[in-house]
Amino acid sequence: MIRIALLGSTGSIGRQVLSVVARYPERFSVVSLAAGSNAGLLKEQAEKFHPRICCLTDAGKASALSDFPRGISLYTGPNAPLHAVTEDCDVVFAAMSGFAGLAPVLEAISLGKTVALANKETLVAGGDLVMKRAAEKGVAVVPVDSEHSAIFQCLHFDRHAPFRKLIITASGGAFRDLSAEEIAKKKAKDALKHPNWNMGNKITIDCATLLNKGLEVIEACHLYGAGLDRVEAVVHPESVVHSLVEFEDGAVMAQLGVPSMELPIQLALTYPERLPTGIPSLSLVGKTLHFSPIDEEKFPCFPLALESYRLGDNFPCAMNAANEVAAGLYLEDRIGFYDIPRLIRHAVEKTARAEVSCEAVLTETDRAARAYALEKFNSL
Ligand code: NDP
Ligand code: MG
């Protein structure tokens, strides 16, 4: 029986994790659930999955917890997710969105728990620290992001296996085929109509700006110990090839399938074993697959993300924080599409370099970069 601590249980990934648990109740149990503000869904999940602990970060919703099932320990407030990371779990499933997911992941590592990692912002902001601590503790960090799961599968579930190059595919997001002039006029509601994947709002905006692909290249560098020169991103509108690995002898392996997060989520919990999912068979007959480079003029967030990684130290953390602010403002229709890279660039330029020696450096960088992004917003 694998005992799961689930961070971000009410989100798109979190709900799919619970579907996997419900499909295989003899294999999985839930020790704890952590959510942000959706108290109603958290309660439903608690009634169905009987966790020992439930956490809700938004203390303003705490009154909604009064009629929670008896016997569950409840925590609220900004540090609530830390209480979900317990001694008696086997796997911490990190499916919270954003920088807020970093602290509980570091806590999981300090307790020596396997981390199934969907929360890519954690690796982007604190990858050096997270991977160093995981290596010191001998903790497995298991990729959940579909591209990184595809690579993991091509590497026979060995993150340290040798390769020459990683090729990460991108759907291209909702605005792939539009001109820059057309994209400039697009609102969040248009960006949220993602052609191939159904995900949380923030990541769907990141897909439209292609910043998500920048985050994923950085995530791959950390997970697979590669420099930027060995990770390539290509647009592949059909989302059938989830990513590829080129080996030293020139062989290229890819993982293909119908686009669904169900597979990478379940596999992160069962690998190397493969169990049935609800995913239909892939039919390639009559399908044409396309691959093209990312248009960096139309999607400046992609090179911006990579540039922050080249700068190193705390700059990717600043880039991520500014993007969280900018994507949030775009979602509220308060800025235009091309204001997103403006806010990010401003915040990165203003960030003072600091060596990421501990979590506090990241927390301070994140706080400052959010303020810089808002400063730029106020001057628009
Ligand atoms: P959602 O927005 O759907 O869900 C986010 C989850 O995190 C919710 O449960 C939310 O709670 C919770 N949350 C947010 N902030 C806090 C906080 N401060 N404390 C506690 N809980 C919090 O996002 P997704 O599920 O789409 O994405 C989750 C992560 O997985 C992201 O990092 C994303 O990049 C990554 N990912 C997602 C994919 C997808 O297909 N969706 C694919 C690959 C990666 P509540 O809703 O209750 O406020
Ligand atoms: Mg992905």
Side-chain angles (χ1 to χ4, degrees):
M1 177 71 79
I2 294 176
R3 298 162 301 173
I4 300 170
L6 177 53
L7 309 170
S9 65
T10 50
S12 160
I13 295 284
R15 283 179 270 128
Q16 294 180 78
V17 173
L18 291 176
S19 304
V20 171
V21 172
R23 182 182 302 133
Y24 293 107
E26 69 290 356
R27 284 181 175 251
F28 305 116
S29 66
V30 176
V31 173
S32 59
L33 297 173
S37 58
N38 192 343
L41 181 55
L42 181 64
K43 179 169 170 256
E44 274 175 39
Q45 294 176 338
E47 282 164 350
K48 185 164 176 196
F49 293 96
H50 311 292
R52 198 166 61 68
I53 295 170
C54 278
C55 309
L56 192 71
T57 296
D58 185 348
K61 304 273 167 57
S63 60
L65 305 180
S66 56
D67 58 345
F68 243 61
R70 282 173 176 273
I72 296 181
S73 303
L74 295 174
Y75 297 90
T76 56
N79 292 327
L82 289 175
H83 294 279
V85 179
T86 63
E87 277 291 358
D88 63 346
C89 74
D90 302 302
V91 176
V92 173
F93 209 112
M96 273 166 64
S97 53
F99 180 80
L102 175 74
V105 164
L106 288 173
E107 175 70 7
I109 292 169
S110 74
L111 291 183
K113 303 299 177 186
T114 295
V115 178
L117 192 77
N119 176 241
K120 63 191 84 180
E121 294 93 336
T122 283
L123 274 192
V124 170
D128 290 335
L129 195 64
V130 168
M131 298 315 285
K132 181 169 162 269
R133 294 218 179 141
E136 280 164 7
K137 278 276 188 176
V139 160
V141 178
V142 186
V144 174
D145 212 346
S146 60
E147 297 78 1
H148 307 76
S149 173
I151 293 165
F152 196 45
Q153 293 173 60
C154 295
L155 295 176
H156 299 280
F157 307 112
D158 177 4
R159 282 199 297 104
H160 306 290
F163 59 84
R164 194 154 73 187
K165 199 167 86 179
L166 305 177
I167 304 160
I168 293 184
T169 52
S171 70
F175 304 150
R176 184 187 60 227
D177 300 323
L178 304 182
S179 69
E181 293 71 35
E182 289 167 316
I183 295 173
K185 294 183 210 130
K186 289 290 177 190
K187 301 278 186 208
K189 67 172 181 354
D190 308 307
L192 291 176
K193 291 178 201 143
H194 194 283
N196 305 348
W197 301 92
N198 190 5
M199 308 174 286
N201 284 352
K202 189 259 178 185
I203 183 175
T204 309
I205 300 300
D206 290 350
C207 286
T209 60
L210 281 172
L211 185 113
N212 182 55
K213 223 31 73 176
L215 301 183
E216 290 186 351
V217 167
I218 298 171
E219 187 184 9
C221 289
H222 286 299
L223 283 170
Y224 298 106
L228 278 180
D229 57 329
R230 291 206 297 151
V231 185
E232 186 186 336
V234 294
V235 175
H236 165 49
E238 294 80 15
S239 294
V240 164
V241 178
H242 299 313
S243 278
L244 312 91
V245 178
E246 183 184 301
F247 293 92
E248 217 37 76
D249 58 0
V252 178
M253 307 273 282
Q255 187 253 327
L256 283 70
V258 170
S260 165
M261 284 307 294
E262 209 180 309
L263 169 74
I265 288 170
Q266 182 170 297
L267 197 57
L269 293 167
T270 66
Y271 82 95
E273 199 177 354
R274 290 182 182 273
L275 300 177
T277 61
I279 299 170
S281 293
L282 172 67
S283 169
L284 284 174
V285 175
K287 263 205 178 74
T288 310
L289 302 181
H290 300 85
F291 300 90
S292 57
I294 291 177
D295 184 334
E296 298 192 357
E297 301 269 303
K298 255 166 51 171
F299 300 106
C301 282
F302 175 70
L304 253 183
L306 300 192
E307 185 51 34
S308 76
Y309 187 67
R310 266 184 217 104
L311 288 169
D313 288 329
N314 57 337
F315 288 102
C317 176
M319 176 276 297
N320 176 70
N323 177 57
E324 288 192 31
V325 171
L329 290 168
Y330 183 66
L331 271 167
E332 292 169 2
D333 281 337
R334 294 167 73 194
I335 58 172
F337 186 85
Y338 287 114
D339 291 327
I340 299 175
R342 280 189 196 109
L343 266 57
I344 298 173
R345 194 173 294 113
H346 177 78
V348 171
E349 280 169 8
K350 285 224 136 182
T351 294
R353 182 179 291 277
E355 193 192 329
V356 182
S357 50
C358 61
E359 195 185 337
V361 174
L362 294 169
T363 308
E364 173 50 25
T365 300
D366 179 83
R367 188 204 57 75
R370 282 168 198 268
Y372 295 140
L374 284 174
E375 178 182 87
K376 183 68 181 173
F377 165 63
N378 288 325
S379 75
L380 286 176

